[in-house]
Amino acid sequence: QCPSRKMFIVERNYSIHYCSEKCLDETHCGDIIVPEEHLQQCYICKNHQKCDPIGIQGPGVNTEFILYVSVLQTNRCEPIDTLATASFCQLERQQDRPIAGNINVCPKRLRGDRNGIDFDRLVSTIKHEILHTWVFSSGLFAFFRDSNGKPFTERDPATGWPKIYDEKLQIYTPNENVLKQIVRKNWKTRGGLVDKIILMLVTPRVQAVVREHFRCSTLEGAELENQGNVGTALTHWEKRLFEHEIMTGTYTQESVISNLTLALLEDSGWYDVSYEYGKPLLWGRNLGCDFVKTSCKQWIDSKLEK
């Protein structure tokens, strides 16, 4: 792992990833220190050419995906309602699919007797966090590929990575074919009408699923959560619209893995899915464009006026 968490690639040799300054003594995957036997040899290169290997080459792990699970009280556990956190930490070289991730369960939320633990919530949360490591992370959107395996987001030919890196968010910026900003005019609030800026995932199957679900043929895509901290905003479905879907930002009883999340898995270009296993999403179903494209206040007011 590099000190800046940013790797480079030797020109004309994509097999060598290197650090420009030095290699760290420890490589982390989320909150876990990765065992040395799981790691490739680290390289330090000068002028993008002369490369010196550091340390030893581990045998690696022969698996499709490795999940490191920890139970540590970290800074990300500080919010009182946080039960667990997750992150992906390694991408497959050819198609960019995540191949390693970490889930950390916050131990303070597990204290007490067995009867005091909500196991349904715990199981639902673990499923939720696994989906973050596989696909639902703002840091992965720029790596999505279409059904032919071609990246949605333009790549830098010199590195093979997406072209634009957002230093503030510390993620690569996805193409508008994946993530699109939409402005809703005359959004009704208690304080009056405003222009509301929202971000939507607009990949083909996601778009088709939400149009069918809401019965709104002009819906651009699935809206992302715009509230909460860095671990909630832009990494979950909008709670207002997808209430009990498992990938909304707060837990709801009877949460379901619906066809919407299955569509996102398929639209990433990394997974085949079976939609017959998707659970029904009842919230908002068949309520039309007025429900999905306007504020709660505007929609409720329109019903009260009738």
Side-chain angles (χ1 to χ4, degrees):
Q1 191 170 53
C2 309
S4 65
R5 293 182 176 268
K6 198 170 183 181
M7 292 188 302
F8 302 87
I9 301 175
V10 175
E11 292 182 17
R12 296 179 296 279
N13 189 347
Y14 286 4
S15 66
I16 298 180
H17 291 61
Y18 71 91
C19 302
S20 62
E21 307 162 17
K22 65 176 183 178
C23 299
L24 293 178
D25 294 333
E26 295 176 342
T27 294
H28 287 255
C29 178
D31 297 307
I32 285 288
I33 298 174
V34 179
E36 288 190 3
E37 57 266 27
H38 294 182
L39 298 174
Q40 288 184 323
Q41 200 167 22
C42 188
Y43 286 85
I44 300 175
C45 300
K46 297 178 181 178
N47 300 322
H48 299 273
Q49 294 295 333
K50 188 178 185 303
C51 300
D52 297 317
I54 304 296
I56 60 173
Q57 174 84 18
V61 183
N62 184 20
T63 186
E64 289 290 319
F65 182 85
I66 184 167
L67 181 65
Y68 299 100
V69 180
S70 53
V71 183
L72 301 169
Q73 190 64 29
T74 67
N75 290 337
R76 293 201 294 167
C77 288
E78 290 305 317
I80 193 170
D81 59 343
T82 299
L83 178 57
T85 60
S87 59
F88 72 93
C89 44
Q90 184 65 44
L91 303 182
E92 184 268 337
R93 188 169 293 160
Q94 299 300 321
Q95 295 293 317
D96 307 315
R97 177 179 58 83
I99 56 175
N102 165 239
I103 291 177
N104 183 61
V105 181
C106 300
K108 282 187 177 180
R109 301 304 303 275
L110 298 179
R111 291 176 181 171
D113 60 37
R114 182 181 178 88
N115 294 329
I117 298 175
D118 185 340
F119 281 96
D120 287 341
R121 180 179 182 182
L122 180 60
V123 170
S124 178
T125 298
I126 296 300
K127 292 178 182 178
H128 173 103
E129 301 301 342
I130 288 173
L131 285 162
H132 276 311
T133 68
W134 284 352
V135 71
F136 213 139
S137 168
S138 57
L140 289 172
F141 297 156
F143 294 93
F144 282 11
R145 292 172 177 263
D146 65 20
S147 57
N148 296 316
K150 181 180 178 182
F152 280 111
T153 301
E154 187 178 3
R155 300 299 176 92
D156 185 335
T159 65
W161 293 81
K163 274 194 168 184
I164 303 173
Y165 186 77
D166 189 318
E167 293 288 351
K168 181 180 179 181
L169 297 177
Q170 295 189 334
I171 61 171
Y172 287 96
T173 302
N175 185 279
E176 282 198 346
N177 290 330
V178 176
L179 185 67
K180 189 172 184 178
Q181 179 176 291
I182 303 291
V183 179
R184 298 283 190 230
K185 298 287 187 179
N186 299 319
W187 188 268
K188 192 173 185 180
T189 70
R190 291 181 62 185
L193 300 179
V194 299
D195 289 347
K196 182 176 176 63
I197 298 174
I198 60 176
L199 287 172
M200 308 184 85
L201 284 170
V202 295
T203 49
R205 294 171 187 84
V206 165
Q207 184 186 78
V209 166
V210 292
R211 285 180 173 182
E212 180 182 2
H213 174 75
F214 292 110
R215 288 291 185 264
C216 178
S217 62
T218 60
L219 186 57
E220 301 91 342
E223 188 173 335
L224 294 178
E225 183 61 65
N226 65 342
Q227 299 184 45
N229 58 30
V230 69
T232 301
L234 305 185
T235 56
H236 297 91
W237 301 127
E238 168 60 47
K239 189 73 172 178
R240 183 184 95 258
L241 299 177
F242 304 107
E243 170 65 20
H244 61 292
E245 221 289 334
I246 197 168
M247 292 312 295
T248 55
T250 54
Y251 173 74
T252 301
Q253 288 185 338
E254 306 298 332
S255 61
V256 298
I257 301 176
S258 74
N259 282 349
L260 175 58
T261 292
L262 294 183
L264 182 65
L265 284 161
E266 188 172 13
D267 274 344
S268 70
W270 302 321
Y271 308 101
D272 294 325
V273 303
S274 298
Y275 287 100
E276 63 266 27
Y277 293 106
K279 302 297 183 182
L281 182 62
L282 303 179
W283 183 266
R285 188 167 66 182
N286 297 332
L287 292 183
C289 293
D290 285 346
F291 175 81
V292 73
K293 287 189 173 185
T294 63
S295 69
C296 289
K297 178 173 176 54
Q298 185 168 341
W299 191 77
I300 292 171
D301 286 351
S302 70
K303 300 304 174 185
L304 293 175
E305 291 169 0
K306 291 183 179 180

